[in-house]
Amino acid sequence: MQIVFMGTPDFAVESLSVLMNAGQDICAVVTSPDKPAGRGLAIKESAVKQFAKRLSVPILQPARLKDESFLKELQNLKADLFVVVAFRMLPEEVWNMPPRGTINLHASLLPDYRGAAPINWAIINGEKTTGVTTFFIEKEIDKGNIIDFEKTDIQSSYTVGELHDILMKKGSELLLKTVRSIEQGNMHSISQQELAIPEQELKKAPKLSREICKIDWSKKAEDIYNHIRGLNPYPAAWTMLYNKEKKEKLLLKLFATEIIDGRHNSTPGKIITDHKTYLYITADGGLLNILEVQPEGRKKLTIQDFLRGFREIDKWEISTH
């Protein structure tokens, strides 16, 4: 089969690499347009484009997926199958084009966690199991017939970055298995409706907003711990420190943490520290031991380095607003 591969980030590069190493015929790659990034706003190419360039694979970068010139170029490739990994939502004119259909790799066990951030939400919600799913793209996003899936356990210490890399690898292997089953004609698919549990609400994975990333210190310690690791390393959970004396605020991103069990009489969100080696923040059911932070506009710091340069921590408190 001739395959057009569509993807943008590193997560997609692993799948593209596995398909090509297995001898699959990738006739072109579709990825996002180059865009300015970083402080210097230098033009940055997507990870998929960088990989495809090194292997001399033809690259398409449409600004609009419904653009007539792009659709014509895609049609002229006469591909049998489109494969999508971490890309934009496709219009019907695109996904309905190839005779073998368009398949997608999704980083959850569908039908749960449809949406833009399935890996983050699985950890934020404290799931013990997740996985990857291949399915046919249809009109409604992430709702097409499932072809295959692979489960994986989520260790209680995993960050979203660690789980991302595990699912990236498992997903690439599942995708190759799926492509081969389509090629050999022994593929079977099943409606997601058949897998949904009646009267049980499906779990969602909406796009992460700044407000979603804000820590609610009134929640249980375990929920806050899951929230922080479910956003580490990106986009990162945050809280606001407030200095009543100076009437100043400081946004603080939190990365590495651990739960210290124990009773306390403090209200949630109170800072407890020795000013040198540790910083605890109280929550319902325990304390959060903060290990790595990033003050706004600065680099990541161990808590010891942060306290060394933030000697007046007693004058600051967690802002609830």
Side-chain angles (χ1 to χ4, degrees):
M1 294 187 301
Q2 283 206 315
I3 297 170
V4 170
F5 184 91
M6 303 184 183
T8 297
D10 289 323
F11 190 90
V13 171
E14 180 72 16
S15 289
L16 179 57
S17 176
V18 166
L19 289 175
M20 294 189 71
N21 287 337
Q24 295 298 324
D25 185 1
I26 308 297
C27 60
V29 157
V30 181
T31 191
S32 60
D34 302 344
K35 58 183 179 181
R39 290 185 179 179
L41 295 180
I43 299 299
K44 186 177 180 181
E45 299 173 341
S46 75
V48 163
K49 179 181 179 179
Q50 292 174 33
F51 180 84
K53 276 173 67 177
R54 290 197 297 272
L55 298 177
S56 300
V57 179
I59 300 165
L60 306 179
Q61 294 179 275
R64 291 178 62 255
L65 295 174
K66 289 186 178 182
D67 186 84
E68 285 187 18
S69 61
F70 166 67
L71 292 174
K72 186 175 181 181
E73 199 170 3
L74 207 54
Q75 188 77 55
N76 288 341
L77 291 169
K78 301 187 185 304
D80 302 289
L81 178 73
F82 290 171
V83 172
V84 181
V85 182
F87 194 57
R88 289 177 278 173
M89 190 170 124
L90 300 180
E92 186 170 356
E93 297 94 317
V94 173
W95 61 256
N96 202 28
M97 189 180 293
R100 299 283 189 105
T102 298
I103 63 172
N104 187 211
L105 172 67
H106 189 74
S108 81
L109 296 173
L110 292 172
D112 276 326
Y113 293 109
R114 294 169 177 155
I119 309 177
N120 301 86
W121 282 105
I123 292 183
I124 290 170
N125 290 341
E127 299 288 358
K128 305 300 182 188
T129 306
T130 187
V132 285
T133 306
T134 51
F135 68 98
F136 282 108
I137 290 182
E138 296 176 7
K139 282 187 178 180
E140 292 185 273
I141 190 165
D142 295 341
K143 292 186 179 181
N145 281 10
I146 288 173
I147 306 166
D148 206 349
F149 65 91
E150 181 76 32
K151 292 183 178 181
T152 191
D153 293 333
I154 304 176
Q155 301 298 326
S156 60
S157 61
Y158 281 174
T159 64
V160 72
E162 291 166 334
L163 184 57
H164 168 280
D165 291 350
I166 291 168
L167 295 180
M168 180 172 68
K169 179 69 175 170
K170 282 186 176 287
S172 66
E173 294 165 355
L174 181 70
L175 187 63
L176 176 59
K177 179 184 172 186
T178 298
V179 168
R180 282 174 170 165
S181 71
I182 294 172
E183 189 173 31
Q184 293 161 8
N186 56 13
M187 178 275 303
H188 301 283
S189 65
I190 184 172
S191 166
Q192 291 193 35
Q193 197 63 35
E194 294 184 46
L195 297 177
I197 300 172
E199 299 179 7
Q200 181 171 310
E201 188 175 351
L202 293 175
K203 297 165 186 175
K204 299 176 183 178
K207 186 176 180 180
L208 297 168
S209 66
R210 184 177 184 276
E211 195 57 33
I212 286 172
C213 295
K214 183 180 180 181
I215 299 168
D216 181 353
W217 293 103
S218 68
K219 290 187 174 181
K220 291 192 174 296
E222 184 177 1
D223 292 336
I224 297 171
Y225 170 74
N226 290 339
H227 183 87
I228 293 170
R229 69 190 181 97
L231 297 169
N232 177 13
Y234 183 82
W238 63 275
T239 193
M240 191 70 75
L241 299 184
Y242 180 63
N243 187 318
K244 282 185 178 179
E245 252 184 47
K246 297 182 179 179
K247 291 186 168 39
E248 292 178 352
K249 288 185 177 182
L250 175 69
L251 188 146
L252 193 66
K253 291 182 178 180
L254 276 60
F255 294 93
T257 62
E258 62 183 12
I259 299 176
I260 298 178
D261 294 323
R263 297 180 182 178
H264 59 82
N265 298 319
S266 301
T267 56
K270 180 175 175 56
I271 295 172
I272 301 172
T273 181
D274 68 349
H275 307 280
K276 293 180 181 179
T277 61
Y278 68 82
L279 188 150
Y280 302 153
I281 302 179
T282 59
D284 183 359
L287 304 171
L288 271 294
N289 183 19
I290 312 303
L291 303 174
E292 188 179 44
V293 299
Q294 184 177 13
E296 190 170 22
R298 295 180 62 187
K299 65 180 182 179
K300 282 185 189 178
L301 301 167
T302 65
I303 201 62
Q304 292 79 14
D305 287 339
F306 172 71
L307 291 172
R308 196 175 296 120
F310 207 69
R311 296 186 182 278
E312 296 184 334
I313 190 70
D314 285 338
K315 297 179 180 178
W316 294 77
E317 59 186 43
I318 302 288
S319 173
T320 55
H321 303 291

